[in-house]
Each structure stands twice: as structure tokens, then as C-alpha cells.
Amino acid sequence: LWPVSDAIQYMPSEDGYPPDERRSWWRRNGVDLAIAAALAVVAFLLRRNGLPTDGLWFADAVQAAALPASASDLFAVSADHPGYTALLIGWRAIGGGSDAVLTYPTLAAGALGPGLLYLALRYCGYERSLSVLLGAALAVAATDVVYSGRVKTYTIDVLIVLALALIVPRLTRLSWSWWTGLAWIAASAVLAFWSAFGLIAVAVAGVIIVLHPTFDFRLRVVAVALQEAICVVLLAAENHSHDIGALQDQFRATSDAFIDFDDPIQFAGDAFVHLRRVGAYFVGSTEWFAGLCIVVAIIGLAVAAWAGRQAVRARYLLLLLLVAFIGGVAGAFPFGPSEGSLISSGGRVSLWLIPVV
């Protein structure tokens, strides 16, 4: 219905967008994409020399030795990360079984993490300067750098929690259909199957989704109930496949990984120490600065959770931190352990909480 001249002026390009619109998209996002790419390059350069060249660390060697296992033995050889083991089995068939090749998935996650964190923060409305600062903090975080060269899932867990923090608010705003419910069940099952951290992250996400319905409450309850049932079954299978008590005793003895609840006064101080450690593995620096960062993070999330466009995201991250904290108090889940030797850092089990900080 336009004049011919207008039709020619606004004729879409091959990608379906008018040229002016495509150029404006690059003007809006080009700088952010360039910064994210630069962060990824820096992160990769910091991690590339950390790949194994003379054998695997003993825990990594156990993981690598389990890769010829069949699908029926997946839980038996995987401890609490059967999905990651399944990925390594497929990756080994494609890329070979050399020590360095087995670390490529975690190296990729570690290298991409800072750039993706930067883009996520920009998407959430953070200023570019602060987003660069936080992305750079992850790029140089010592524990993340070291475990980007290990046959472990920790650097990938960071991206799982980051993705859920972005997706959950959108899921709460959707009007759910049965197809939405089925897609959520399938996606959450994959993430729960990936690792214990992924399982907790999607279980908490399900609670947030149910607590923020529109007119589809019953459908959400059914979908999330099935999702949580899958999580319970996976958790039972993982706990049955290995001695969880022995692992908890090891973390308690070597890493001070649980919060004592014997004395209320001592409990408050011990809780703060463990919370401070969670912040320290991201921001590094001195104890007082790490403590300040985690306090500011919690206060900021609490304020954002009250109301506003970031309320659902903040509630999800706060609930995730609360569940992890309760697990640490109950002695069921390591929370804010001491660092110890960097090659076997207790901070590896705190990396997944970086999006909270």
C-alpha cells in the first residue's frame, strides 16, 4: 500500500530486516558484543596454559577412567554429575581421549563465562562500566581459571545458573500452555541430570515459577510437580550410586564446608565467614572487601526483590542462596568452604553462586 519509492526504500534485506533497522541494531549492541568478545579472549589467554600436559589430577583421572562405561553404569561412575559424564563420553568419541581434549568443554565455559556475564548484566540494565568490572572479575578469578583446565563441571555450572537467572523471569510472565509445561519439564530434566548444582538450580527455579502465576496456576503446578519429582528421583539415584556421607565427612574435615549450629553467637560469626568466602572466590582481594561485597550483594538483591522489573530475578537468586545456606547448616551441602590448595580449592563448590554475587 506504500508508494513505490517507499517500498524500495524499506525493502527488507536477505535476513528479513530493513537495512536501517539492521544498522541500528549493530549501533545499539555492537559495542557490547565487542566488549564481550574481548573479555572472552582475555579469559581464554589466562586459561589456555592451565590444561594438563603430564597427566590428570587424581580426581580428574578417576573421571576420565570412567568414560568407557556404558549408559547403564552412568550413575555408578558419575557421582553427582551424570549429565557431564555423558557429555564427556560423547566428546571423547569425537575429539579423542587425550588429557587436554577432555578439558575443552570446561575451558570453553571458563573462557566464555566473563563475556556472557557481561552481556547478561547489560541485559538486566547494569551500566557498561560496572558490567565490564564484574566480567573482568570473573575473567581473573583464580578458582575459575584453575578449574577451566580440569575435568570438572564447575565452570559450566556457572553458566547454567546464569542462564536460569535470565530465563526464569520470562517464564513467570508467559501464559503457560501444555507445550510450555512439557518444554520446561524436558529442559529442567536435562539441567538436573547435568550435575548436583544444576539440580538445585532448577528445583529452586520451579518454586519461583509456581509462586508467580498469571491465570495458569494449575498448569504450572502440574508441570513443576513433575519436574520436582524428576529432581527427587535423580537425587536419590545419585546418592545411591556413591557414599554421600563419606564425601560430606571429607569436606567437613578438609575444607570447613559446613556451618556449625551449636551456639547462636558462634553461629552468626561462622555464617558470615562462609558467606564471605562465597564472595571471595569471585572478587578475590582481602577478607573485609569480600565480606563487604557479599553484604552489598544480599542487600541489593533484597531491595530488588521487593518490587520492580528485576524482582523475580532477585527472588530467584536470593532463594538459591538461601537453599544453599540451609544445606550448609544442615551439613548436607558444602557452602563457603575454605580455599586450601588452589589445585584442590574448596572454592570450586562456590563457583555456581557467582551470579548471586
Side-chain angles (χ1 to χ4, degrees):
L1 299 177
W2 293 338
V4 174
S5 59
D6 289 345
I8 295 174
Q9 180 180 354
Y10 292 100
M11 185 174 294
S13 60
E14 293 180 358
D15 59 7
Y17 293 95
D20 288 344
E21 183 177 340
R22 189 172 66 251
R23 285 195 295 269
S24 65
W25 187 91
W26 280 108
R27 281 197 295 268
R28 291 195 308 270
N29 301 291
V31 173
D32 288 331
L33 292 174
I35 292 174
L39 287 170
V41 170
V42 171
F44 173 76
L45 294 176
L46 290 173
R47 288 159 174 77
R48 63 174 180 169
N49 292 327
L51 302 184
T53 57
D54 54 356
L56 295 172
W57 185 251
F58 75 95
D60 297 14
V62 172
Q63 175 71 71
L67 296 185
S70 63
S72 60
D73 295 327
L74 200 56
F75 283 99
V77 301
S78 301
D80 58 358
H81 46 264
Y84 176 63
T85 301
L87 170 71
L88 287 181
I89 291 174
W91 178 243
R92 179 174 178 266
I94 296 172
S98 72
D99 296 340
V101 166
L102 293 178
T103 65
Y104 286 175
T106 52
L107 173 63
L112 293 174
L116 293 176
L117 176 61
Y118 169 82
L119 292 176
L121 293 170
R122 292 291 291 152
Y123 174 79
C124 294
Y126 281 67
E127 291 296 329
R128 182 171 289 138
S129 56
L130 184 57
S131 301
V132 170
L133 180 64
L134 295 174
L138 179 56
V140 301
T143 304
D144 193 84
V145 170
V146 169
Y147 278 86
S148 294
R150 300 284 299 275
V151 190
K152 297 292 185 182
T153 183
Y154 304 116
T155 58
I156 304 175
D157 293 323
V158 176
L159 302 187
I160 289 175
V161 176
L162 184 62
L164 286 170
L166 295 177
I167 293 170
V168 166
R170 295 184 65 88
L171 288 175
T172 60
R173 293 193 296 267
L174 286 177
S175 296
W176 280 43
S177 66
W178 286 108
W179 289 111
T180 310
L182 289 173
W184 170 247
I185 292 170
S188 62
V190 171
L191 295 180
F193 186 66
W194 179 261
S195 69
F197 300 110
L199 189 152
I200 295 173
V202 296
V204 172
V207 174
I208 295 296
I209 288 171
V210 166
L211 293 178
H212 295 81
T214 51
F215 57 85
D216 49 6
F217 178 72
R218 184 176 302 177
L219 179 56
R220 293 192 187 203
V221 167
V222 172
V224 171
L226 289 173
Q227 170 227 324
E228 302 290 5
I230 292 172
C231 290
V232 170
V233 171
L234 287 173
L235 183 62
E238 292 171 5
N239 289 343
H240 181 72
S241 66
H242 63 285
D243 189 350
I244 187 67
L247 289 177
Q248 292 169 345
D249 291 341
Q250 180 185 6
F251 268 106
R252 184 175 287 105
T254 62
S255 302
D256 183 29
F258 303 106
I259 304 170
D260 295 327
F261 194 51
D262 300 330
D263 181 358
I265 298 178
Q266 181 181 353
F267 169 74
D270 196 36
F272 179 75
V273 168
H274 285 259
L275 282 166
R276 185 193 68 210
R277 291 173 183 167
V278 171
Y281 293 123
F282 178 40
V283 300
S285 190
T286 59
E287 291 183 353
W288 73 265
F289 183 72
L292 176 63
C293 287
I294 193 65
V295 169
V296 170
I298 293 173
I299 293 174
L301 285 174
V303 172
W306 184 258
R309 61 188 295 265
Q310 303 293 345
V312 174
R313 183 171 293 112
R315 291 165 192 166
Y316 169 66
L317 293 173
L318 271 179
L319 183 58
L320 193 64
L321 181 64
L322 178 62
V323 169
F325 179 83
I326 292 174
V329 173
F333 202 79
F335 180 82
S338 59
E339 182 173 2
S341 171
L342 189 58
I343 195 65
S344 185
S345 171
R348 65 190 187 274
V349 297
S350 294
L351 290 179
W352 71 298
L353 293 174
I354 280 177
V356 176
V357 186

